[in-house]
């Protein structure tokens, strides 16, 4: 028997956080994330996986995603990552502006959103990235 199999048998494998019998927030195979957290390498691994997931979501919405200007892709990834797909899809006018390559309308829709009020600096950074596409 491998050690991984023994630990999974005794600890179980949980893909969402849970409270262990000792009362600690735990994930995976008994990882006490309150005390042990995760390493920077683990955080970057999770981030890369999340970026891959978000890009797949965006390619469903924008079949020509790979042909979009780089800064537009950055902003779309940042927004979908932050909002989640369900809330991202509520940006119907912005999505349409992207499909029409209307970057001014994209900026307008971003700025006129509750999201922009909530995330302030993030929205400002994203708007600046789209303005670079416009040459502003």
């Amino acid at each position: 028997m491998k050690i991984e199999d023994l630990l999974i048998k005794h600890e179980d494998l949980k893909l969402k956080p849970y409270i262990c019998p000792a009362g600690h927030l735990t994930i995976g195979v008994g990882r006490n994330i309150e005390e042990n957290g995760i390493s920077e390498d683990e955080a970057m691994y999770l981030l890369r996986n999340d970026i891959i997931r978000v890009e797949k979501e965006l390619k469903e919405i924008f079949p020509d995603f790979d042909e979009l200007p780089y800064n537009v892709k950055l902003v779309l990834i940042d927004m979908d990552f932050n909002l989640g797909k369900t809330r991202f899809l509520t940006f119907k006018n912005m999505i349409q502006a992207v499909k029409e390559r209307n970057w001014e309308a994209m900026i307008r829709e971003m700025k006129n959103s509750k999201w922009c009020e909530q995330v302030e600096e993030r929205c400002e950074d994203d708007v600046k990235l789209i303005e670079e596409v416009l040459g502003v």
Side-chain angles (χ1 to χ4, degrees), residues 8 12 16 31 40-41 55 59 64-65 70 72 78 82 104 109 111 115 129 134:
I8 290 170
D12 204 0
K16 296 195 178 200
R31 168 69 69 92
E40 185 174 336
D41 285 343
E55 285 180 332
K59 287 176 183 181
D64 62 344
F65 180 80
Y70 181 74
V72 173
D78 187 52
N82 178 242
E104 294 92 350
E109 293 300 323
K111 284 182 171 181
W115 167 80
L129 285 166
L134 288 169

Side-chain angles (χ1 to χ4, degrees), residues 15 111 124:
L15 304 180
K111 284 182 171 181
E124 290 171 20

